[in-house]
Amino acid sequence: MRFHLKFNTEKISNHNRCNMHDNFENESVKENDKLLIDAVRVYPHLYNHKDPNFKNHLMKKNSWKEIAFTFLNQI
């Protein structure tokens, strides 16, 4: 019976470690999402259909390249 209880405790402990790892990954993803949102916010023509440059596909393409460049340099 002792072995059975010890096994259950270890199982819970491993489960908690997995949850801690998942929480860390979730926080990292949330932080990356915030960084992306902040980066896109600088370029209103990417999301604001009332912006005069909203239909300027070349400008949008260049803006996405700049955002990607910023993220690649942060790694």
Side-chain angles (χ1 to χ4, degrees), residues 29-74:
V29 168
K30 286 179 187 178
E31 185 61 32
N32 287 340
D33 288 352
K34 289 177 187 177
L35 291 172
L36 178 60
I37 290 167
D38 289 342
V40 171
R41 196 173 275 145
V42 175
Y43 303 95
H45 58 276
L46 293 176
Y47 59 87
N48 183 354
H49 67 277
K50 292 182 180 181
D51 188 288
N53 294 310
F54 182 76
K55 293 184 179 183
N56 185 333
H57 297 287
L58 181 59
M59 183 180 262
K60 285 185 173 186
K61 182 178 178 179
N62 289 332
S63 297
W64 281 116
K65 284 181 180 180
E66 289 176 20
I67 292 169
F69 183 76
T70 302
F71 271 84
L72 289 175
N73 285 332
Q74 288 181 2

